[in-house]
Amino acid sequence: SLVAFSGCKSFFQPDIPTGVEKRTLDNGNLELIVTGKASNLAIDKDSVAMKQTTSREAARLLLEVELQSGNYPGHKERFEIQSVEFLYDFEYCIIKGTYKNK
């Protein structure tokens, strides 16, 4: 019976909040989790390449704005991306990274 739902992928895809989430790690460093969403045009066209490109760019821009906010001195030397992942056929891009406090 699961086969009957294979064409309804959006039926099981809840919206994921976009933006920046900050967590303080046990060692005092900060983990930033940035979620970007693909453009509406890319989603409407169901273009994997466009969804991947626009969701990644959205996440990258959110991360860049956050790092340049003034709250992360020396971020070019002290921030490291840990992972980049895509969800729901590239509709969302999640970048996780660590900002090392001195």
Side-chain angles (χ1 to χ4, degrees):
S1 66
L2 290 176
V3 176
F5 292 107
S6 65
C8 298
K9 65 180 181 175
S10 62
F11 183 78
F12 294 104
Q13 294 180 2
D15 278 339
I16 295 175
T18 58
V20 180
E21 180 184 345
K22 296 174 252 187
R23 296 182 186 159
T24 302
L25 302 174
D26 291 339
N27 61 8
N29 292 337
L30 286 178
E31 179 182 50
L32 299 180
I33 303 164
V34 183
T35 305
K37 185 174 181 180
S39 71
N40 289 334
L41 178 63
I43 293 168
D44 290 345
K45 286 187 169 195
D46 198 26
S47 167
V48 171
M50 285 177 65
K51 288 189 288 187
Q52 181 179 13
T53 300
T54 59
S55 66
R56 184 180 56 226
E57 183 66 3
R60 186 193 69 77
L61 289 171
L62 286 167
L63 177 60
E64 187 176 309
V65 167
E66 181 67 23
L67 289 175
Q68 293 179 358
S69 68
N71 296 324
Y72 308 93
H75 65 83
K76 290 184 181 181
E77 296 80 27
R78 295 167 58 187
F79 181 78
E80 182 178 325
I81 292 176
Q82 304 297 322
S83 67
V84 177
E85 62 183 293
F86 294 93
L87 298 177
Y88 301 139
D89 200 26
F90 298 96
E91 286 187 21
Y92 292 90
C93 177
I94 300 172
I95 300 173
K96 293 181 182 179
T98 304
Y99 174 77
K100 295 177 182 159
N101 285 321
K102 289 190 175 184

